Amino acid sequence: QVQLVESGGELVQAGDSLRLSCVVSGRTFRSYAMGWFRQAPGKEREFVAVISWNGDTTYYADSVKGRFTISRDNSKNTAYLQMNVLKPEDTAAYYCAADPSIVIHKAADEYVYWGQGTQVIVSS
């Protein structure tokens, strides 16, 4: 059984930074691509960032490129999302997800395992 647990979300002001963490149970973490998605109230879940199993490849949504950084520590079974220069439009529930495929995906339905989400609120 693979479980993902996110943490790090909180209420911050515009311009602040946050780092989200996603701890994955199970010994196969290093074989998964890890993605971050977010969902704002009344909106569909959207792709934020993804990192390959070995950390060599990353992709970002245009809306966060240059502000967010995805990373992973396979020795800790943990993926991270460093978020800088936060904006009110970044307010959302943030979810991490694991994709056992070798190919990196941006589509949410390609991911098999999901966390429960962590709330990020950015006040103006």
Side-chain angles (χ1 to χ4, degrees):
Q1 186 77 3
V2 178
Q3 291 186 322
L4 287 67
V5 179
E6 305 97 331
S7 63
E10 63 180 87
L11 171 64
V12 297
Q13 293 188 334
D16 285 352
S17 296
L18 274 179
R19 188 176 79 158
L20 305 183
S21 299
C22 174
V23 178
V24 182
S25 65
R27 292 180 290 179
T28 54
F29 172 77
R30 62 181 67 249
S31 67
Y32 297 147
M34 294 298 300
W36 285 96
F37 293 79
R38 66 186 182 186
Q39 187 168 18
K43 295 188 177 181
E44 293 187 354
R45 188 169 299 190
E46 65 173 357
F47 167 78
V48 175
V50 59
I51 187 167
S52 61
W53 67 274
N54 59 1
D56 283 355
T57 304
T58 57
Y59 292 110
Y60 297 92
D62 288 343
S63 58
V64 307
K65 201 171 295 182
R67 298 188 298 122
F68 290 12
T69 302
I70 189 171
S71 61
R72 65 189 296 157
D73 185 339
N74 286 348
S75 69
K76 296 181 179 179
N77 279 21
T78 303
Y80 304 97
L81 184 68
Q82 177 67 42
M83 306 186 294
N84 298 329
V85 195
L86 282 161
K87 304 176 181 180
E89 50 263 45
D90 294 320
T91 294
Y94 283 73
Y95 300 86
C96 67
D99 177 7
S101 170
I102 294 176
V103 178
I104 292 179
H105 296 109
K106 298 181 182 179
D109 58 8
E110 297 287 352
Y111 288 76
V112 176
Y113 305 106
W114 289 83
Q116 82 292 344
T118 185
Q119 186 68 43
V120 173
I121 301 174
V122 184
S123 65
S124 57

